[in-house]
Amino acid sequence: MPQSKPVSGNTAFLVLVGLLVVLTGAALGYVAGWFSPDRLTPKTLVHAFAPASGPPLGHRRNHAKGICFTGELESTGAGTEISRARIFTRGSYPVLGRFNLGSPDPNASDAAVRIRGMSLLISGPDAEEWRTAMINAPVFTTSTPRAFYELLLASKSSDPNAMASFTKQHPEFAAFASWANNGPWMGSFAEERFNGLNSFIFENAAGVSRAVRWSFVPETTATPVSPAQLSTKGPDFLEQDITERVARGPVRWRLIVTVASRGDPTADPTRAWPPDRPTINVGALVVRNIEPERDGPCREINFDPTVLPAGMKTSDDPFPAARSAAYARSYDLRTAEARDYPRTVTGDAQ
Amino acid sequence: MNEINATLPERLLHWIALVCALVVLFSGVGIVSTVQPKYLSLISVHKLLGISLLGLVLVRIATRLGRPAPSVSSRRAANPLKALSRLLDRLLYALLIALPLLGWGMLSAGSYPVELAPGLYLPPILPQSDTLHTILREAHAYLSLALLVVILLELAAALSQLLARKEEHRISDTIVEPCEQEA
């Protein structure tokens, strides 16, 4: 047998293995985005929240300041008409939640932040869970995660024209800006209406699917106050107020689900649906206990809006997926930095 | 894989596992690299296929345990490449057991529901813990790199066997032909 045969065999082998490694590497690189530097990744999106002074170590990368609460969802049973989620069956389901400010600063002054949020984890039968994170704005800032990323960059840009140029390129921002500038301010979390803004698909037991949005409407009478009045209050007045209110007695919201009509913009949270759309009073949120976040039960929860019970799923709205990806990144970062946010004020890590 | 002692279904199972492992690996890389809606599909595929692999490998090990092990003399007789191939298989199966368990543990330690499909949940296997979540997440990421290396080595080993067999065929052809002429 000629000597050259095994040599050529070995060469072929090495070439094929080399090809295998290069192709696999290239394919993985493609998936990882090495060849698309402009791609929005969880990392770049979350990084864009960080102020110039750096991200809030140990805290959520946005909505960093918050306070935990527990209570329950008292379902009326009316929700079963639109979703087979067992959480909507008449009954009472435990809720773990968090009131928060839409700012990456965990020490923000309550009066200085326009966006206020409420996040919920509602536990249904067995392991079923519904997690949702809502804000007090009636519409969202941008139509796409990409535009939202551009907004984050523009809002902290040193270029004085950055915001003007952003609003020019994104006229859809006007609806949010109008609310931010002219909408009412409330003196309490208890008076805020918290809106889900994103569209989801509900499916009922008969298999009928409908696009919906939801809001938690306060049962507490809302009395708008001026921003000037709020600025005279202490930096934590919202947390103090809700703690005192709940200590006096439960604070309640009604869970209102709005059902879309054919053609309503489900993929764009900057566009409100017409006000005549049918609504269903699905239940009441009852907040019974307030606890500081530092060592509270909401601290270790990622209020990922794609954690949904069977009977609820995401729609063509691109935000829940983007939020899920970003929240996971934020969660991974802050849990790895837990020592930067001690569980006791004195700094004891335990 | 070590094909001497493997039955056809075992070999099939092995290759299915390898292909699935690649898919899980790619979906895992995709998960941390996109905020688009496909992020959610990637997570579904990753979790469902990952846990299926855990089941598949356990079945594979059970079928292996059910049969008598090859005798020591036949193991000694096997060439070193076969021994290496067997080691590679064991590494692959160890990773395909460890990685899904790490992922499951990581989600548990992060207080996430471990949902495989709408309404289909696995129970948490760990209590919430920032420290555990961080350690398990890093172990999950680094061991997935090890999985990539092992898969590539498996493919390289298979390639080498394929080329060797071709070579054997050619040699046996050259030996057989003169015999046929004699007949």
Side-chain angles (χ1 to χ4, degrees):
Chain A
M1 190 179 134
Q3 252 340 77
S4 67
K5 288 295 181 191
V7 173
S8 77
N10 279 342
T11 314
F13 173 67
L14 287 177
V15 167
L16 283 175
V17 168
L19 214 63
L20 184 75
V21 171
V22 169
L23 283 179
T24 312
L28 272 175
Y30 171 77
V31 174
W34 296 348
F35 310 122
S36 37
D38 288 339
R39 186 198 294 177
L40 196 52
T41 68
K43 197 176 173 178
T44 48
L45 181 55
V46 168
H47 183 70
F49 282 103
S53 54
L57 298 180
H59 294 267
R60 284 163 220 264
R61 287 322 197 233
N62 193 24
H63 295 262
K65 183 180 183 181
I67 191 164
C68 301
F69 65 82
T70 52
E72 66 263 348
L73 179 74
E74 289 174 353
S75 289
T76 58
T80 55
E81 187 193 326
I82 47 170
S83 171
R84 62 191 168 87
R86 289 187 288 168
I87 276 166
F88 291 150
T89 310
R90 191 179 171 82
S92 179
Y93 305 95
V95 171
L96 172 55
R98 183 174 181 266
F99 294 113
N100 58 75
L101 298 182
S103 158
D105 179 2
N107 303 309
S109 176
D110 288 351
V113 183
R114 188 66 182 103
I115 295 180
R116 297 169 182 170
M118 180 170 78
S119 309
L120 303 175
L121 184 168
I122 306 168
S123 301
D126 302 325
E128 184 177 289
E129 275 188 20
W130 178 22
R131 300 188 187 189
T132 176
M134 299 160 287
I135 56 174
N136 56 344
V139 288
F140 196 58
T141 51
T142 53
S143 300
T144 63
R146 164 70 60 181
F148 181 69
Y149 173 69
E150 288 168 14
L151 171 63
L152 290 177
L153 296 187
S155 62
K156 62 177 189 181
S157 168
S158 54
D159 174 4
N161 297 320
M163 272 311 288
S165 125
F166 173 83
T167 51
K168 203 170 167 188
Q169 278 171 36
H170 296 282
E172 79 268 20
F173 182 67
F176 173 84
S178 164
W179 168 80
N181 294 325
N182 311 315
W185 286 73
M186 302 302 166
S188 169
F189 281 125
E191 298 176 14
E192 292 283 6
R193 173 186 168 120
F194 294 104
N195 305 298
L197 303 184
N198 295 131
S199 302
F200 288 81
I201 305 294
F202 277 14
E203 190 191 55
N204 67 14
V208 179
S209 288
R210 297 180 180 91
V212 302
R213 286 173 178 168
W214 56 76
S215 293
F216 281 79
V217 180
E219 290 190 2
T220 309
T221 310
T223 320
V225 287
S226 74
Q229 271 175 286
L230 292 183
S231 62
T232 63
K233 301 190 174 197
D236 303 321
F237 79 89
L238 283 174
E239 295 193 350
Q240 284 158 6
D241 166 86
I242 196 69
T243 306
E244 285 161 18
R245 276 179 199 258
V246 174
R248 287 197 298 270
V251 177
R252 300 166 63 95
W253 282 259
R254 273 177 303 126
L255 167 51
I256 302 296
V257 174
T258 304
V259 181
S261 291
R262 189 173 293 274
D264 283 346
T266 53
D268 185 350
T270 66
R271 294 172 65 195
W273 294 343
D276 63 347
R277 294 295 179 254
T279 58
I280 298 169
N281 181 4
V282 164
L285 168 67
V286 186
V287 174
R288 293 193 187 275
N289 284 295
I290 299 284
E291 288 176 64
E293 182 195 52
R294 186 177 286 279
D295 198 26
C298 70
R299 170 172 173 158
E300 44 265 311
I301 300 301
N302 170 355
F303 292 98
D304 178 337
T306 65
V307 173
L308 301 164
M312 300 169 67
K313 58 180 186 181
T314 52
S315 69
D316 57 354
D317 187 328
F319 278 98
R323 292 170 63 192
S324 178
Y327 288 24
R329 167 84 184 158
S330 166
Y331 188 84
D332 293 347
L333 290 169
R334 70 188 177 88
T335 48
E337 301 156 351
R339 68 176 60 192
D340 291 295
Y341 183 22
R343 288 183 178 269
T344 60
V345 184
T346 50
D348 179 0
Q350 297 306 306
Chain B
M1 80 180 289
N2 179 10
E3 294 182 0
I4 288 180
N5 303 308
T7 62
L8 183 67
E10 279 177 344
R11 279 157 67 175
L12 210 64
L13 219 59
H14 179 83
W15 284 102
I16 290 172
L18 212 69
V19 170
C20 289
L22 261 180
V23 174
V24 178
L25 202 67
F26 273 76
S27 59
V29 171
I31 286 167
V32 293
S33 312
T34 185
V35 302
Q36 287 181 25
K38 65 185 164 203
Y39 168 83
L40 298 176
S41 328
L42 286 170
I43 285 194
S44 298
V45 167
H46 188 82
K47 285 197 289 195
L48 201 57
L49 218 49
I51 208 75
S52 307
L53 272 171
L54 176 62
L56 195 99
V57 168
L58 293 179
V59 166
R60 174 76 174 78
I61 289 171
T63 59
R64 192 54 163 231
L65 290 178
R67 293 193 304 118
S71 72
V72 177
S73 61
S74 80
R75 251 190 253 165
R76 287 231 175 94
N79 72 41
L81 272 180
K82 296 278 186 228
L84 205 67
S85 163
R86 188 182 295 139
L87 180 73
L88 215 52
D89 286 353
R90 289 196 177 153
L91 259 176
L92 176 71
Y93 293 143
L95 287 170
L96 291 185
I97 291 170
L99 279 163
L101 286 177
L102 285 171
W104 187 354
M106 170 186 113
L107 290 178
S108 305
S111 275
Y112 292 97
V114 188
E115 192 186 24
L116 296 179
L120 178 62
Y121 298 92
L122 289 176
I125 50 174
L126 289 171
Q128 196 286 332
S129 155
D130 289 347
T131 312
L132 277 178
H133 179 263
T134 305
I135 293 171
L136 297 176
R137 206 181 67 81
E138 293 198 345
H140 192 72
Y142 286 117
L143 280 188
S144 68
L145 268 178
L147 176 66
L148 175 65
V149 172
V150 168
I151 291 176
L152 286 175
L153 287 174
E154 284 269 357
L155 292 174
L159 254 168
S160 121
Q161 280 190 359
L162 206 73
L163 290 175
R165 206 171 307 151
K166 262 191 161 175
E167 195 76 3
E168 275 169 30
H169 277 296
R170 206 173 39 223
I171 294 164
S172 60
D173 285 349
T174 53
I175 294 168
V176 168
E177 274 164 29
C179 300
E180 281 170 351
Q181 280 167 1
E182 272 174 32

